[in-house]
Each structure stands twice: as structure tokens, then as C-alpha cells.
Amino acid sequence: MLDLRMPIGCLFLIIGTILLTWGCAHPVLTPCGGLQVNLNATWGSVMGTFGLLMSLLAWREKSRS
Amino acid sequence: MQVGVLDYLIIAIYFVFVLGIGVVLKKQMVSSEDFFLSGRSIPSWITGLAFISANLGAIEVMGMAANGAEYGIMTAHFYWVGAIPAMVFLALFMMPFYYGSRVRSVPEYLKLRFNEPTRAFNALSFALMTVLMSGINMYAMALVFKLLLNWSMTASILVSAGVVLAYTILGGLTSSIYNEVLQFFLIVFGLLPLTLIGLANGGGWQGLIGHLPKGFGHLWSQAGGTANPMGIDWLGLVSGLGFVLSFGYWCTDFLVIQRALAAESLSAAQRTPLIAAFPKVFFPLLTVVPGMLALSLIPALGSNTTNYSYNMALPLLLSQYYPSGMLGVGLTAMLASFMSGMAGNITAFNTVWTYDIYQSYIAPARSDRHYLWMGRVATAAGILVSIGTAYLVMGFPSIMDYMQMIFSFFNAPLFATFLLGMFWKRTTPWAAFWGLVTGTVSAGVHFALTHFGMLTYSSVMAGNFWRATMAWLICFSVTFALSFVTKPRPVEDLQGLVWGLGGDTPLIREVWYKRPAVLASMVIVMTLVANVVLW
């Protein structure tokens, strides 16, 4: 059976990388409390990290079995 | 708001993954049990997240945000008084009968416990309910995409129907469950920044409720009477929402039960609603709070124009805060929620149609391959009918009105049937049948009386809660009374179907953190804390 963590990981890694790259290349600042946040870059890195974690968990399971 | 190429690219990547999962799983769909029940082989963390995600359709995301804008934090009662206690009850007390009896659907349990007519009545009403509910998701999606992307309603409905059709017809329930988990994470990651930014900009929780009408920040302090945003007192809340509507939905609706039946063991099936309950504790942060934030930011919200109706609270907030890129993620989250809601209903529909209607009454004793084929045909037919019901929803003033009407007709009386059937062995088959019929008809009569102004309530929501309570009471009373004058089934036929009469499924001793009672206690404590903090 397909390890679901693999497609989830890949999807989040791809979307996260796109957002991070786009956010760095075309920064748009969103007010957040007293700060100005580059939402695309910040949240892109969060999504990318989550995707990487899921992919690593799936890869570890595969190499174990 | 400007939707750019980047946003469309993110939506397109999501579609590729959703369809890819269906294609990969297609070769594993060998038997009808693979297609309809995922071969009962899925781990509990997946079935648990699918359990919550199948319910995470238009109602949950758009509807709860709309209610948050209309009624404030009292909307969280749907989670903390309604959903979570019901999910715990399902896991601890009802799942052993559903999973242990090896039934393939909820109507099939009614056949084993009662008789064929009770099963037929429930199967037909459930099939009707699922296509009506599936239409809600299509309609909601079309509404959002018309506002945000300027797509026509018909184009939106056809695109969403086409994608859901493709992945459910290819990979059956497994594909639907896998995509629901993927969609769960997308919804969380797509909507969470809205709450974080909104609260940071609005001065935190205290700042937010300072901008809202009185009572919008409290759960119980004004529930002594009806002078609160929801217009209902604690008794109506606890009986209508906390008991009848929520237990009726979470404990009997095959849409969610089907996810637990796909689990790999009884213990995993019991953990399924409990795993779902943990994120459910926090879901008001993703749905209700954004609705409240939208009301504080957009003063015109709640006017009668379509673009500023309460239903638009979440999409309007999305357009307010997200730049191109994150907007694509937010739109994908909404798309994911509508598609998971639609696919959940369609997979439940194709199972009930194939097993409980087609195999039982139209074409019995055919090959397994034939029923697998029929499941695929039912998937396509269910989606076609849902397209029709999507246009039907357009005639109703709000999504919530339409949905509550459906739930009070079908789920509220059914819960009384299950409660008596599972926990009282004297309940007879014909008493259950007539109780269910009179409960459903009485909900219809009550709806008509309310609709034509002969019965009035302080809010639409209060009317919904009291209708559900009344339908439940009538079904319960009729079933209870008739059970004394009709013939019960022999006790030996009820083994494993009724509380106290055992079953032959042994419980496996699990490590402490996997035990249902431990998980249930943890989630109940978390829910109590949430209620106290926002009292």
C-alpha cells in the first residue's frame, strides 16, 4: 500500500519551495501585530519543513522494510 | 483582489497530486471490499484524520466561519458540547458493535439488529441525504470561486465534480480517505495564518472581542436565558445540539462511520473518532475565530447581498490578508475542504446504494466483480445527481438552513433508534421501523409549521435545535411504547449487536497511549478546559 506520508511530503515540499522562492524574489509585506511579515517566504518555509519531515518519515519506513 | 499565475499553479499542483493518488491506488482495487471498505486495512492515524476531514466540507469551513460572524464564540458549542462528547461516546460504546459485527454499512447493522424494512428506510433516506449534502459542497465552492476567481457557477461545479469523480472512481474509499488526509493538512496550513495574523493585528483575543457585540466572547455566561447571540438557553443547547443533533450525526451517519470501518482492527476503529477529536478541540481557531475576525474587519458583513453574506466571511478575510502565492494556498485549502466533503458523501452513497439497495433488492447473488462495477457506476451517478442538488441549494437563503433541515429530518430520529437498539434488547424490529418513520415525518411537520410561521423561535438555530429534540423524542417514545406490544427478536440473534450480549471480537491489549479510554479521558479534559477558559 502507498505510504501516504510520501505524497503529503512531496506536495508540501513543492508548494513550500515555490512560496519561499517567490516570497524572496517578490517580497510583499503583510502587517502582523507591530511587524511587517513576508508571508509567502515565512509560511513557505514552514510548509516546506513540514513536507521535508513527512518525506523523511516515509523514506525511513521504506528503508526499514 | 488579484489572483495570479502563481495561485493557479498551486491549485494545479494540488489537482495533480489528488488525481495521482487515485491512479496509484487503482491497481489495488481488486474486490468490492477493497473499493468500498479499503479492505479494512488502514492505520488509525489515517482513518482518524479522514474521519475529521470527511466532515470538513463547506459546512465546517464556510458555515462555521459564517456562524462565528453571526453568533460569536458560542458557535464553538458545535465542537465542545456537540461533536467531541459524541465522538467519545461513539468510540467507547458504539464502535464495538459496528466494527465487531463486521457490517459493511450502518443500514446493514439495522438489518441485523431489526429487519429489512428498517434497513430499507434508512438506506433510502441516507442515499437521498448524501446526494443533497454533496450538492452543498459543490454550491459553496461555486459561490467562492465566482467571488474570488470570477468563474461561472456552472464551470466551478463541473470542475470540482470532474476531479472528485476521477479520484473516487479510480481508487474507491482508499483514494477518498488518502485524499481527505492530504486535504486535512492543506486546510490547516491554508487557514492557520489567517487566525494568527488577524489576532496579532486585532490586539489579541481581548482586542477582538472588544470590537464585537456584547456576548460574542463567552460560551456559557449568557446561556441562562435566550438573551445571547444564538438566542437559545443552556437547556436547548445541551438537548438539541449537545445530545440529539451531534450524537445523531457523529454516532449514526455512515459518512463518518465508514472511515472507522476501514480501520485495520477494532482497537484502531475505536481510536479513529478519538484521534479525530484531538484536532477538533482546536478547530474553532481555524473556523469560528476567522468568522469573528471578519466581522470586526468588514462592517458590511451580514448584509443581504450575496458578496457580503455571513457565508462569505472566510473568503473575504482570505482576500483581505493573503498576497498572491498564499492566496493560492488559501484557495486550495477551501477547494480541498469542498472536495473532501463531496467525496466523503459520494463514497458513503456508493456503498449504501450498492450493498443496501442494489445487492439487497435489485440484483442479489451477482459476482463480486459485478458489484465493484456497480460501485463505480454509482459513484458517477451520485455525482451527476449531486450536480442537480447543487442547483437546488441555490434556492435556499443560507447553506446552514438547508443543512439543518436535512439533519433534523434524518439524523435526529435515527439516533433514538440506535440508542434503544444498541442498549435495550427488548426493542423490537417493527417498533424501530415505525419509530423511525414517525420521527422523520414529525420533523417534516415541524419544519412546515415553522416555515409557514405557525411556530416561531428567537432564531433559526433555536428552531433547528428544538425540531431535532422533538423528532428524537417522538421516535424514542414511539419505539419504546411499541416495543411492549410487538414481538422482539430472540436473544440468540442479538449476540454482538446489543450491549451486554457480548460479541466474538476479542480486544487486544494495547500500550497505554493507544487505549481508547485513555485517549477519551485526555480529550474530555482538554474540552472541559476550553469551556472553562471561555466561560
Side-chain angles (χ1 to χ4, degrees):
Chain A
M1 190 71 90
L2 171 71
D3 186 337
L4 183 54
R5 288 171 295 191
M6 190 50 87
I8 292 175
C10 290
L11 177 65
F12 275 78
L13 202 52
I14 292 170
I15 294 180
T17 308
I18 291 173
L19 279 182
L20 180 62
T21 312
W22 182 265
C24 292
H26 307 275
V28 177
L29 299 177
T30 306
C32 180
L35 306 169
Q36 296 288 323
V37 177
N38 183 338
L39 195 56
N40 281 336
T42 310
W43 206 246
S45 52
V46 173
M47 289 181 76
T49 307
F50 174 74
L52 191 64
L53 188 71
M54 291 298 261
S55 304
L56 284 174
L57 286 172
W59 177 78
R60 195 183 67 164
E61 186 69 31
K62 196 178 176 186
S63 51
R64 264 188 195 169
S65 59
Chain B
M1 182 190 46
Q2 197 68 40
V3 180
V5 177
L6 180 64
D7 304 308
Y8 280 111
L9 175 68
I10 289 169
I11 294 172
I13 292 169
Y14 163 69
F15 278 146
V16 168
F17 272 78
V18 162
L19 293 172
I21 287 175
V23 171
V24 170
L25 291 172
K26 182 179 183 291
K27 54 178 176 254
Q28 288 163 11
M29 297 301 113
V30 178
S31 69
S32 65
E33 185 164 282
D34 294 332
F35 189 77
F36 296 117
L37 289 170
S38 303
R40 296 187 196 261
S41 61
I42 309 229
S44 56
W45 77 270
I46 294 181
T47 53
L49 293 182
F51 187 95
I52 192 174
S53 195
N55 166 258
L56 209 54
I59 307 307
E60 188 79 2
V61 174
M62 269 176 79
M64 288 297 172
N67 279 4
E70 196 172 356
Y71 304 118
I73 197 64
M74 279 187 89
T75 308
H77 284 310
F78 278 94
Y79 297 85
W80 297 334
V81 170
I84 290 169
M87 290 155 90
V88 169
F89 184 82
L90 168 68
L92 296 183
F93 299 107
M94 293 177 77
M95 198 52 76
F97 300 111
Y98 281 132
Y99 196 90
S101 61
R102 305 296 289 176
V103 292
R104 298 170 301 182
S105 67
V106 167
E108 192 172 327
Y109 174 85
L110 291 173
K111 178 201 163 188
L112 294 180
R113 172 63 184 87
F114 299 118
N115 54 15
E116 275 291 355
T118 313
R119 173 213 222 167
F121 184 80
N122 178 242
L124 289 169
S125 58
F126 181 78
L128 176 66
M129 185 173 82
T130 47
V131 291
L132 290 173
M133 294 295 290
S134 177
I136 290 184
N137 287 288
M138 284 195 197
Y139 168 71
M141 200 199 79
L143 210 61
V144 172
F145 278 56
K146 184 172 187 290
L147 176 74
L148 300 184
L149 303 181
N150 211 19
W151 289 12
S152 79
M153 298 287 262
T154 302
S156 302
I157 286 171
L158 291 179
V159 167
S160 59
V163 175
V164 171
L165 174 66
Y167 77 75
T168 47
I169 219 165
L170 287 168
L173 179 64
T174 312
S175 177
S176 179
I177 284 178
Y178 274 34
N179 273 306
E180 281 157 11
V181 177
L182 181 78
Q183 286 151 357
F184 168 83
F185 287 112
L186 275 169
I187 292 163
V188 171
F189 277 89
L191 300 183
L192 187 59
L194 274 185
T195 306
L196 299 177
I197 298 171
L199 283 176
N201 286 345
W205 175 251
Q206 292 303 330
L208 170 66
I209 58 175
H211 283 96
L212 297 175
K214 189 173 173 284
F216 265 49
H218 296 282
L219 287 167
W220 292 106
S221 63
Q222 291 175 303
T226 56
N228 56 57
M230 216 174 244
I232 188 157
D233 60 16
W234 68 271
L235 182 64
L237 266 174
V238 173
S239 64
L241 173 64
F243 183 58
V244 177
L245 270 175
S246 296
F247 278 68
Y249 175 75
W250 291 101
C251 298
T252 69
D253 197 312
F254 184 53
L255 162 69
V256 285
I257 306 287
Q258 188 179 29
R259 272 72 199 148
L261 294 184
E264 59 194 354
S265 65
L266 171 59
S267 181
Q270 285 193 284
R271 280 197 301 277
T272 295
L274 296 171
I275 288 170
F278 280 93
K280 201 82 178 165
V281 176
F282 299 99
F283 256 68
L285 278 173
L286 291 181
T287 54
V288 181
V289 174
M292 295 167 71
L293 286 165
L295 185 68
S296 72
L297 282 171
I298 305 159
L301 197 68
S303 66
N304 284 330
T305 59
T306 307
N307 286 357
Y308 285 96
S309 72
Y310 285 122
N311 287 333
M312 287 290 119
L314 199 60
L316 286 169
L317 199 63
L318 213 68
S319 63
Q320 182 102 8
Y321 280 135
Y322 281 180
S324 185
M326 270 309 289
L327 187 60
V329 176
L331 286 173
T332 306
M334 298 199 77
L335 194 61
S337 103
F338 304 143
M339 284 170 50
S340 64
M342 201 190 313
N345 279 290
I346 290 300
T347 50
F349 168 81
N350 67 21
T351 307
V352 167
W353 166 264
T354 307
Y355 282 150
D356 294 295
I357 299 172
Y358 184 76
Q359 188 181 28
S360 301
Y361 306 109
I362 299 171
R366 296 289 188 92
S367 67
D368 189 69
R369 195 179 174 79
H370 177 79
Y371 294 123
L372 178 61
W373 168 81
M374 175 43 70
R376 291 199 162 110
V377 171
T379 304
I383 285 179
L384 280 176
V385 179
S386 301
I387 291 173
T389 60
Y391 287 95
L392 185 72
V393 188
M394 292 180 195
F396 279 76
S398 85
I399 292 174
M400 215 58 176
D401 286 352
Y402 176 86
M403 188 207 73
Q404 294 294 348
M405 177 195 76
I406 294 170
F407 279 177
S408 61
F409 274 49
F410 300 121
N411 283 343
L414 185 61
F415 179 56
T417 309
F418 267 90
L419 207 56
L420 283 168
M422 274 188 178
F423 298 98
W424 189 40
K425 66 183 178 191
R426 182 73 181 79
T427 313
T428 69
W430 285 108
F433 175 76
W434 287 113
L436 201 52
V437 171
T438 49
T440 307
V441 170
S442 66
V445 172
H446 184 278
F447 178 78
L449 292 174
T450 315
H451 188 70
F452 293 111
M454 284 177 259
L455 266 177
T456 52
Y457 293 95
S458 51
S459 71
V460 176
M461 193 67 76
N464 290 330
F465 290 173
W466 285 116
R467 184 186 321 121
T469 305
M470 187 235 25
W472 182 89
L473 270 175
I474 288 178
C475 178
F476 189 93
S477 309
V478 170
T479 309
F480 185 77
L482 286 182
S483 289
F484 289 104
V485 292
T486 48
K487 192 180 167 192
R489 296 191 64 179
V491 171
E492 54 270 26
D493 289 357
L494 302 178
Q495 294 298 316
L497 298 170
V498 180
W499 189 259
L501 294 180
D504 54 5
T505 311
L507 264 176
I508 301 161
R509 196 76 180 155
E510 301 273 10
V511 289
W512 68 270
Y513 59 84
K514 285 187 173 179
R515 287 180 202 158
V518 174
L519 293 172
S521 307
M522 287 163 66
V523 83
I524 289 290
V525 169
M526 286 163 66
T527 309
L528 285 173
V529 169
N531 273 279
V532 171
V533 168
L534 292 171
W535 186 271

